[in-house]
Amino acid sequence: VLGSARCREIDHTNTLGPMIAGLSALHKAGALDFPDPALLARMIAAMFWEAALLIVDAEDPERLRVDATAAIHRVLAAFRRP
């Protein structure tokens, strides 16, 4: 059994690290309208994971995938600096 610290370490290496790096680059370039790329990466990852869990158990997984993708795109658009 992995402890929570090890789980977070694995998650950071494989998912959050690259996402934080990408969001940090966007922030540095002035394209991201949010002051904390690391926090935003965690919040975005939580959306992805929850969508994945919902899709697995959905009566109509394809429809839920389409709807979840649209919702994620709308949320991400809110952080794009014009």
Side-chain angles (χ1 to χ4, degrees):
V1 176
L2 295 175
S4 63
R6 180 66 179 132
C7 284
R8 286 198 178 271
E9 180 184 329
I10 292 168
D11 187 37
H12 190 276
T13 300
N14 296 307
T15 305
L16 288 174
M19 193 181 299
I20 292 168
L23 291 173
S24 294
L26 289 171
H27 186 263
K28 194 173 199 175
L32 180 66
D33 189 15
F34 195 79
D36 187 344
L39 173 60
L40 186 57
R42 289 187 179 281
M43 301 303 292
I44 292 168
M47 279 192 319
F48 290 155
W49 293 320
E50 186 61 27
L53 292 173
L54 290 170
I55 290 167
V56 168
D57 294 327
E59 286 184 28
D60 185 352
E62 181 57 25
R63 179 68 192 161
L64 187 58
R65 185 192 64 76
V66 169
D67 290 346
T69 299
I72 289 169
H73 280 266
R74 289 184 72 180
V75 169
L76 294 178
F79 298 105
R80 189 176 304 132
R81 190 175 303 270

